Every structure is written in structure tokens, then in C-alpha cells.
Short mmCIF file of all heavy atoms in Angstrom, two decimals:
data_model
loop_
_atom_site.label_atom_id
_atom_site.label_comp_id
_atom_site.label_asym_id
_atom_site.label_seq_id
_atom_site.Cartn_x
_atom_site.Cartn_y
_atom_site.Cartn_z
N SER A 1 -18.70 -13.36 -14.21
CA SER A 1 -19.80 -12.69 -14.94
C SER A 1 -21.09 -12.67 -14.15
O SER A 1 -22.02 -11.94 -14.48
CB SER A 1 -20.01 -13.38 -16.28
OG SER A 1 -20.32 -14.76 -16.10
N TYR A 2 -21.19 -13.47 -13.09
CA TYR A 2 -22.40 -13.54 -12.28
C TYR A 2 -22.22 -12.80 -10.95
O TYR A 2 -23.06 -12.93 -10.07
CB TYR A 2 -22.77 -14.99 -11.99
CG TYR A 2 -23.30 -15.75 -13.18
CD1 TYR A 2 -22.48 -16.03 -14.26
CD2 TYR A 2 -24.62 -16.19 -13.23
CE1 TYR A 2 -22.95 -16.72 -15.36
CE2 TYR A 2 -25.09 -16.89 -14.32
CZ TYR A 2 -24.27 -17.15 -15.39
OH TYR A 2 -24.74 -17.83 -16.47
N CYS A 3 -21.12 -12.07 -10.82
CA CYS A 3 -20.78 -11.50 -9.51
C CYS A 3 -20.95 -9.98 -9.49
O CYS A 3 -20.97 -9.31 -10.52
CB CYS A 3 -19.32 -11.84 -9.15
SG CYS A 3 -19.08 -13.57 -8.76
N GLU A 4 -21.05 -9.46 -8.29
CA GLU A 4 -21.08 -8.03 -8.02
C GLU A 4 -19.79 -7.66 -7.28
O GLU A 4 -19.15 -8.52 -6.68
CB GLU A 4 -22.30 -7.68 -7.15
CG GLU A 4 -23.62 -8.08 -7.81
CD GLU A 4 -24.81 -7.94 -6.88
OE1 GLU A 4 -24.60 -7.60 -5.69
OE2 GLU A 4 -25.95 -8.17 -7.33
N THR A 5 -19.42 -6.40 -7.35
CA THR A 5 -18.18 -5.96 -6.71
C THR A 5 -18.48 -5.34 -5.36
O THR A 5 -19.30 -4.43 -5.25
CB THR A 5 -17.45 -4.94 -7.60
OG1 THR A 5 -17.45 -5.42 -8.96
CG2 THR A 5 -16.03 -4.76 -7.14
N HIS A 6 -17.81 -5.84 -4.33
CA HIS A 6 -18.03 -5.38 -2.96
C HIS A 6 -16.80 -4.66 -2.45
O HIS A 6 -15.66 -5.07 -2.71
CB HIS A 6 -18.33 -6.60 -2.08
CG HIS A 6 -18.36 -6.28 -0.60
ND1 HIS A 6 -19.40 -5.63 -0.01
CD2 HIS A 6 -17.44 -6.54 0.37
CE1 HIS A 6 -19.15 -5.49 1.29
NE2 HIS A 6 -17.96 -6.04 1.54
N HIS A 7 -17.02 -3.55 -1.72
CA HIS A 7 -15.93 -2.84 -1.07
C HIS A 7 -15.65 -3.50 0.27
O HIS A 7 -16.51 -3.50 1.16
CB HIS A 7 -16.29 -1.37 -0.83
CG HIS A 7 -16.50 -0.59 -2.09
ND1 HIS A 7 -17.64 -0.71 -2.87
CD2 HIS A 7 -15.71 0.33 -2.69
CE1 HIS A 7 -17.55 0.11 -3.90
NE2 HIS A 7 -16.39 0.76 -3.83
N ALA A 8 -14.46 -4.06 0.44
CA ALA A 8 -14.12 -4.71 1.71
C ALA A 8 -14.19 -3.69 2.84
O ALA A 8 -14.75 -3.95 3.90
CB ALA A 8 -12.73 -5.34 1.63
N GLU A 9 -13.55 -2.52 2.63
CA GLU A 9 -13.74 -1.40 3.53
C GLU A 9 -14.88 -0.57 2.96
O GLU A 9 -14.88 -0.24 1.78
CB GLU A 9 -12.46 -0.55 3.61
CG GLU A 9 -11.28 -1.24 4.26
CD GLU A 9 -11.45 -1.39 5.76
OE1 GLU A 9 -12.30 -0.67 6.32
OE2 GLU A 9 -10.76 -2.23 6.36
N GLU A 10 -15.86 -0.28 3.79
CA GLU A 10 -17.08 0.35 3.29
C GLU A 10 -16.78 1.58 2.46
O GLU A 10 -15.87 2.34 2.77
CB GLU A 10 -18.02 0.69 4.45
CG GLU A 10 -18.59 -0.52 5.15
CD GLU A 10 -19.62 -0.14 6.20
OE1 GLU A 10 -20.16 0.98 6.10
OE2 GLU A 10 -19.88 -0.95 7.10
N TRP A 11 -17.57 1.77 1.46
CA TRP A 11 -17.36 2.88 0.52
C TRP A 11 -17.43 4.24 1.23
O TRP A 11 -16.80 5.20 0.82
CB TRP A 11 -18.43 2.79 -0.57
CG TRP A 11 -18.30 3.81 -1.65
CD1 TRP A 11 -17.31 3.90 -2.58
CD2 TRP A 11 -19.18 4.89 -1.90
NE1 TRP A 11 -17.52 4.97 -3.42
CE2 TRP A 11 -18.69 5.59 -3.01
CE3 TRP A 11 -20.35 5.34 -1.30
CZ2 TRP A 11 -19.30 6.72 -3.52
CZ3 TRP A 11 -20.98 6.45 -1.81
CH2 TRP A 11 -20.45 7.14 -2.92
N VAL A 12 -18.17 4.31 2.34
CA VAL A 12 -18.32 5.58 3.05
C VAL A 12 -17.38 5.68 4.25
O VAL A 12 -17.51 6.57 5.06
CB VAL A 12 -19.78 5.76 3.54
CG1 VAL A 12 -20.71 5.89 2.37
CG2 VAL A 12 -20.19 4.59 4.43
N SER A 13 -16.43 4.74 4.39
CA SER A 13 -15.53 4.77 5.54
C SER A 13 -14.46 5.84 5.37
O SER A 13 -14.28 6.41 4.30
CB SER A 13 -14.86 3.40 5.72
OG SER A 13 -13.92 3.18 4.69
N ASP A 14 -13.75 6.11 6.48
CA ASP A 14 -12.69 7.13 6.44
C ASP A 14 -11.55 6.71 5.53
O ASP A 14 -10.92 7.53 4.88
CB ASP A 14 -12.16 7.38 7.86
CG ASP A 14 -13.22 8.01 8.75
OD1 ASP A 14 -14.13 8.66 8.21
OD2 ASP A 14 -13.14 7.84 9.99
N ASP A 15 -11.24 5.40 5.50
CA ASP A 15 -10.13 4.92 4.68
C ASP A 15 -10.42 5.02 3.20
O ASP A 15 -9.52 5.19 2.38
CB ASP A 15 -9.79 3.47 5.04
CG ASP A 15 -9.24 3.36 6.46
OD1 ASP A 15 -8.70 4.35 6.95
OD2 ASP A 15 -9.39 2.27 7.04
N HIS A 16 -11.67 4.86 2.84
CA HIS A 16 -12.06 4.91 1.43
C HIS A 16 -13.24 5.86 1.30
O HIS A 16 -14.39 5.43 1.26
CB HIS A 16 -12.42 3.52 0.91
CG HIS A 16 -11.25 2.59 0.87
ND1 HIS A 16 -10.44 2.47 -0.22
CD2 HIS A 16 -10.74 1.76 1.80
CE1 HIS A 16 -9.47 1.59 0.03
NE2 HIS A 16 -9.64 1.14 1.26
N PRO A 17 -13.00 7.17 1.24
CA PRO A 17 -14.09 8.14 1.17
C PRO A 17 -14.85 8.02 -0.14
O PRO A 17 -14.36 7.41 -1.10
CB PRO A 17 -13.38 9.48 1.28
CG PRO A 17 -11.99 9.21 0.77
CD PRO A 17 -11.68 7.81 1.20
N PRO A 18 -16.04 8.60 -0.23
CA PRO A 18 -16.84 8.53 -1.46
C PRO A 18 -16.05 8.98 -2.68
O PRO A 18 -15.32 9.96 -2.64
CB PRO A 18 -18.01 9.46 -1.17
CG PRO A 18 -18.13 9.45 0.32
CD PRO A 18 -16.74 9.33 0.83
N GLY A 19 -16.18 8.22 -3.75
CA GLY A 19 -15.52 8.57 -5.00
C GLY A 19 -14.23 7.82 -5.21
O GLY A 19 -13.72 7.79 -6.32
N ARG A 20 -13.67 7.17 -4.17
CA ARG A 20 -12.42 6.45 -4.32
C ARG A 20 -12.69 4.95 -4.26
O ARG A 20 -13.22 4.42 -3.29
CB ARG A 20 -11.46 6.83 -3.20
CG ARG A 20 -10.11 6.14 -3.30
CD ARG A 20 -9.21 6.56 -2.16
NE ARG A 20 -7.96 5.81 -2.18
CZ ARG A 20 -7.08 5.81 -1.20
NH1 ARG A 20 -7.29 6.52 -0.14
NH2 ARG A 20 -5.98 5.10 -1.30
N THR A 21 -12.38 4.26 -5.32
CA THR A 21 -12.60 2.81 -5.42
C THR A 21 -11.32 2.16 -5.92
O THR A 21 -10.88 2.43 -7.02
CB THR A 21 -13.76 2.51 -6.40
OG1 THR A 21 -14.95 3.13 -5.90
CG2 THR A 21 -13.99 1.02 -6.51
N ASP A 22 -10.75 1.26 -5.06
CA ASP A 22 -9.46 0.65 -5.36
C ASP A 22 -9.60 -0.85 -5.54
O ASP A 22 -10.43 -1.49 -4.87
CB ASP A 22 -8.45 0.91 -4.24
CG ASP A 22 -8.19 2.39 -4.03
OD1 ASP A 22 -8.31 3.14 -5.02
OD2 ASP A 22 -7.91 2.78 -2.89
N ILE A 23 -8.76 -1.42 -6.39
CA ILE A 23 -8.78 -2.86 -6.62
C ILE A 23 -8.46 -3.62 -5.34
O ILE A 23 -9.07 -4.64 -5.03
CB ILE A 23 -7.79 -3.25 -7.75
CG1 ILE A 23 -8.27 -2.69 -9.07
CG2 ILE A 23 -7.66 -4.76 -7.83
CD1 ILE A 23 -7.34 -2.99 -10.23
N ASP A 24 -7.49 -3.09 -4.56
CA ASP A 24 -7.11 -3.79 -3.33
C ASP A 24 -8.22 -3.76 -2.29
O ASP A 24 -8.13 -4.46 -1.27
CB ASP A 24 -5.85 -3.14 -2.73
CG ASP A 24 -4.61 -3.46 -3.56
OD1 ASP A 24 -4.67 -4.44 -4.33
OD2 ASP A 24 -3.62 -2.73 -3.43
N ASN A 25 -9.24 -2.97 -2.54
CA ASN A 25 -10.37 -2.91 -1.61
C ASN A 25 -11.61 -3.59 -2.19
O ASN A 25 -12.67 -3.58 -1.58
CB ASN A 25 -10.70 -1.45 -1.28
CG ASN A 25 -11.73 -1.32 -0.19
OD1 ASN A 25 -11.64 -1.98 0.85
ND2 ASN A 25 -12.74 -0.47 -0.41
N GLY A 26 -11.49 -4.17 -3.37
CA GLY A 26 -12.65 -4.77 -4.02
C GLY A 26 -12.56 -6.28 -4.08
O GLY A 26 -11.47 -6.83 -4.28
N VAL A 27 -13.67 -6.94 -3.90
CA VAL A 27 -13.75 -8.40 -4.04
C VAL A 27 -15.04 -8.73 -4.79
O VAL A 27 -16.00 -7.96 -4.79
CB VAL A 27 -13.76 -9.12 -2.67
CG1 VAL A 27 -12.43 -8.94 -1.97
CG2 VAL A 27 -14.90 -8.63 -1.80
N LEU A 28 -15.06 -9.89 -5.42
CA LEU A 28 -16.22 -10.34 -6.16
C LEU A 28 -17.10 -11.23 -5.27
O LEU A 28 -16.61 -12.14 -4.61
CB LEU A 28 -15.82 -11.12 -7.41
CG LEU A 28 -15.04 -10.34 -8.47
CD1 LEU A 28 -14.76 -11.25 -9.67
CD2 LEU A 28 -15.81 -9.10 -8.91
N LEU A 29 -18.40 -10.94 -5.27
CA LEU A 29 -19.39 -11.74 -4.55
C LEU A 29 -20.61 -11.91 -5.44
O LEU A 29 -21.02 -10.97 -6.12
CB LEU A 29 -19.81 -11.06 -3.24
CG LEU A 29 -18.78 -11.01 -2.10
CD1 LEU A 29 -19.27 -10.04 -1.02
CD2 LEU A 29 -18.57 -12.39 -1.52
N CYS A 30 -21.19 -13.10 -5.42
CA CYS A 30 -22.46 -13.28 -6.13
C CYS A 30 -23.54 -12.49 -5.40
O CYS A 30 -23.36 -12.06 -4.25
CB CYS A 30 -22.84 -14.77 -6.21
SG CYS A 30 -23.28 -15.49 -4.61
N HIS A 31 -24.67 -12.31 -6.05
CA HIS A 31 -25.73 -11.48 -5.47
C HIS A 31 -26.17 -12.00 -4.11
O HIS A 31 -26.36 -11.24 -3.16
CB HIS A 31 -26.93 -11.42 -6.42
CG HIS A 31 -28.09 -10.61 -5.87
ND1 HIS A 31 -28.11 -9.25 -5.91
CD2 HIS A 31 -29.24 -11.02 -5.25
CE1 HIS A 31 -29.23 -8.82 -5.33
NE2 HIS A 31 -29.92 -9.87 -4.94
N PHE A 32 -26.33 -13.32 -4.00
CA PHE A 32 -26.82 -13.88 -2.74
C PHE A 32 -25.83 -13.63 -1.60
O PHE A 32 -26.20 -13.16 -0.53
CB PHE A 32 -27.07 -15.39 -2.88
CG PHE A 32 -27.30 -16.08 -1.57
CD1 PHE A 32 -28.44 -15.84 -0.83
CD2 PHE A 32 -26.34 -16.94 -1.05
CE1 PHE A 32 -28.65 -16.46 0.39
CE2 PHE A 32 -26.53 -17.57 0.17
CZ PHE A 32 -27.69 -17.33 0.89
N HIS A 33 -24.56 -13.95 -1.84
CA HIS A 33 -23.58 -13.79 -0.77
C HIS A 33 -23.28 -12.31 -0.50
O HIS A 33 -22.94 -11.93 0.62
CB HIS A 33 -22.31 -14.56 -1.10
CG HIS A 33 -22.45 -16.04 -0.94
ND1 HIS A 33 -22.26 -16.94 -1.96
CD2 HIS A 33 -22.83 -16.78 0.14
CE1 HIS A 33 -22.48 -18.16 -1.52
NE2 HIS A 33 -22.85 -18.10 -0.27
N HIS A 34 -23.42 -11.46 -1.51
CA HIS A 34 -23.27 -10.02 -1.31
C HIS A 34 -24.36 -9.52 -0.37
O HIS A 34 -24.10 -8.80 0.60
CB HIS A 34 -23.36 -9.31 -2.66
CG HIS A 34 -22.88 -7.89 -2.60
ND1 HIS A 34 -22.91 -7.06 -3.70
CD2 HIS A 34 -22.39 -7.13 -1.58
CE1 HIS A 34 -22.44 -5.87 -3.37
NE2 HIS A 34 -22.12 -5.89 -2.08
N SER A 35 -25.59 -9.93 -0.64
CA SER A 35 -26.71 -9.55 0.22
C SER A 35 -26.54 -10.13 1.61
O SER A 35 -26.77 -9.46 2.62
CB SER A 35 -28.03 -10.04 -0.42
OG SER A 35 -29.12 -9.80 0.44
N HIS A 36 -26.13 -11.41 1.68
CA HIS A 36 -25.95 -12.08 2.96
C HIS A 36 -24.90 -11.36 3.81
O HIS A 36 -25.08 -11.19 5.02
CB HIS A 36 -25.54 -13.53 2.71
CG HIS A 36 -25.29 -14.34 3.95
ND1 HIS A 36 -26.30 -14.66 4.82
CD2 HIS A 36 -24.15 -14.85 4.47
CE1 HIS A 36 -25.78 -15.36 5.83
NE2 HIS A 36 -24.49 -15.48 5.63
N LEU A 37 -23.84 -10.91 3.18
CA LEU A 37 -22.75 -10.25 3.91
C LEU A 37 -23.22 -8.93 4.52
O LEU A 37 -22.88 -8.60 5.65
CB LEU A 37 -21.57 -10.01 2.96
CG LEU A 37 -20.30 -9.43 3.59
CD1 LEU A 37 -19.72 -10.40 4.61
CD2 LEU A 37 -19.28 -9.12 2.51
N HIS A 38 -24.04 -8.19 3.76
CA HIS A 38 -24.50 -6.89 4.25
C HIS A 38 -25.56 -7.02 5.34
O HIS A 38 -25.68 -6.14 6.19
CB HIS A 38 -25.08 -6.07 3.09
CG HIS A 38 -24.04 -5.33 2.30
ND1 HIS A 38 -23.44 -4.18 2.74
CD2 HIS A 38 -23.48 -5.60 1.09
CE1 HIS A 38 -22.57 -3.77 1.85
NE2 HIS A 38 -22.58 -4.62 0.83
N LYS A 39 -26.30 -8.11 5.35
CA LYS A 39 -27.42 -8.25 6.27
C LYS A 39 -27.10 -9.09 7.50
O LYS A 39 -27.85 -9.09 8.47
CB LYS A 39 -28.62 -8.85 5.54
CG LYS A 39 -29.15 -7.99 4.42
CD LYS A 39 -30.30 -8.70 3.71
CE LYS A 39 -30.77 -7.91 2.48
NZ LYS A 39 -31.34 -6.62 2.83
N SER A 40 -26.01 -9.86 7.45
CA SER A 40 -25.72 -10.80 8.53
C SER A 40 -24.56 -10.30 9.39
O SER A 40 -24.03 -9.21 9.19
CB SER A 40 -25.38 -12.17 7.96
OG SER A 40 -24.14 -12.13 7.28
N SER A 41 -24.18 -11.15 10.35
CA SER A 41 -23.06 -10.80 11.24
C SER A 41 -21.71 -11.21 10.67
O SER A 41 -20.69 -11.03 11.32
CB SER A 41 -23.28 -11.48 12.60
OG SER A 41 -24.48 -11.05 13.20
N TRP A 42 -21.70 -11.80 9.49
CA TRP A 42 -20.44 -12.15 8.84
C TRP A 42 -19.73 -10.88 8.37
O TRP A 42 -20.38 -9.89 8.00
CB TRP A 42 -20.69 -13.08 7.66
CG TRP A 42 -21.14 -14.45 8.05
CD1 TRP A 42 -22.41 -14.82 8.38
CD2 TRP A 42 -20.34 -15.62 8.15
NE1 TRP A 42 -22.45 -16.15 8.70
CE2 TRP A 42 -21.18 -16.68 8.55
CE3 TRP A 42 -19.00 -15.89 7.94
CZ2 TRP A 42 -20.73 -17.97 8.74
CZ3 TRP A 42 -18.54 -17.17 8.12
CH2 TRP A 42 -19.40 -18.20 8.53
N LYS A 43 -18.42 -10.91 8.35
CA LYS A 43 -17.63 -9.78 7.89
C LYS A 43 -16.63 -10.26 6.86
O LYS A 43 -16.27 -11.44 6.81
CB LYS A 43 -16.89 -9.10 9.04
CG LYS A 43 -17.80 -8.61 10.18
CD LYS A 43 -18.76 -7.53 9.70
CE LYS A 43 -19.64 -7.05 10.84
NZ LYS A 43 -20.66 -6.07 10.36
N LEU A 44 -16.16 -9.34 6.03
CA LEU A 44 -15.12 -9.64 5.05
C LEU A 44 -14.01 -8.62 5.23
O LEU A 44 -14.26 -7.41 5.20
CB LEU A 44 -15.67 -9.60 3.63
CG LEU A 44 -14.74 -10.14 2.53
CD1 LEU A 44 -15.54 -10.77 1.41
CD2 LEU A 44 -13.86 -9.03 1.96
N VAL A 45 -12.79 -9.11 5.42
CA VAL A 45 -11.64 -8.23 5.61
C VAL A 45 -10.54 -8.65 4.64
O VAL A 45 -10.52 -9.77 4.14
CB VAL A 45 -11.11 -8.29 7.07
CG1 VAL A 45 -12.16 -7.81 8.03
CG2 VAL A 45 -10.66 -9.71 7.41
N MET A 46 -9.61 -7.70 4.39
CA MET A 46 -8.47 -7.99 3.53
C MET A 46 -7.22 -8.17 4.39
O MET A 46 -6.95 -7.36 5.28
CB MET A 46 -8.25 -6.84 2.54
CG MET A 46 -9.44 -6.56 1.64
SD MET A 46 -9.83 -7.89 0.48
CE MET A 46 -8.48 -7.70 -0.68
N ARG A 47 -6.47 -9.23 4.12
CA ARG A 47 -5.19 -9.47 4.80
C ARG A 47 -4.13 -9.71 3.73
O ARG A 47 -4.20 -10.71 3.02
CB ARG A 47 -5.27 -10.68 5.72
CG ARG A 47 -6.03 -10.43 7.02
CD ARG A 47 -5.86 -11.60 7.97
NE ARG A 47 -6.35 -11.32 9.30
CZ ARG A 47 -6.22 -12.13 10.34
NH1 ARG A 47 -5.59 -13.30 10.18
NH2 ARG A 47 -6.68 -11.80 11.52
#
């Protein structure tokens, strides 16, 4: 309930074009770590 939904593959990428949002591409992140992920050199990938 305190989390935001993040697209592991960017929403504007070729694999996931605008308008397509899939569960297998979504992960939950709190606001701080969501912001940290977008602004830092850390990456999030799905395996």
C-alpha cells in the first residue's frame, strides 16, 4: 500500500511501447527507492 509500480523495461522502450503495461514487467518500489533507481546508476532487471 506504500509502493509505486515501476516498469522494469522502460515504458517507452521498444519491448514495451507506450500503452502496453504487463505484470511480468512491473515491480513494486517505495517512493524513495523508485526515485533512487531512476536517478542513480543502479538498475533493475527481470530474470
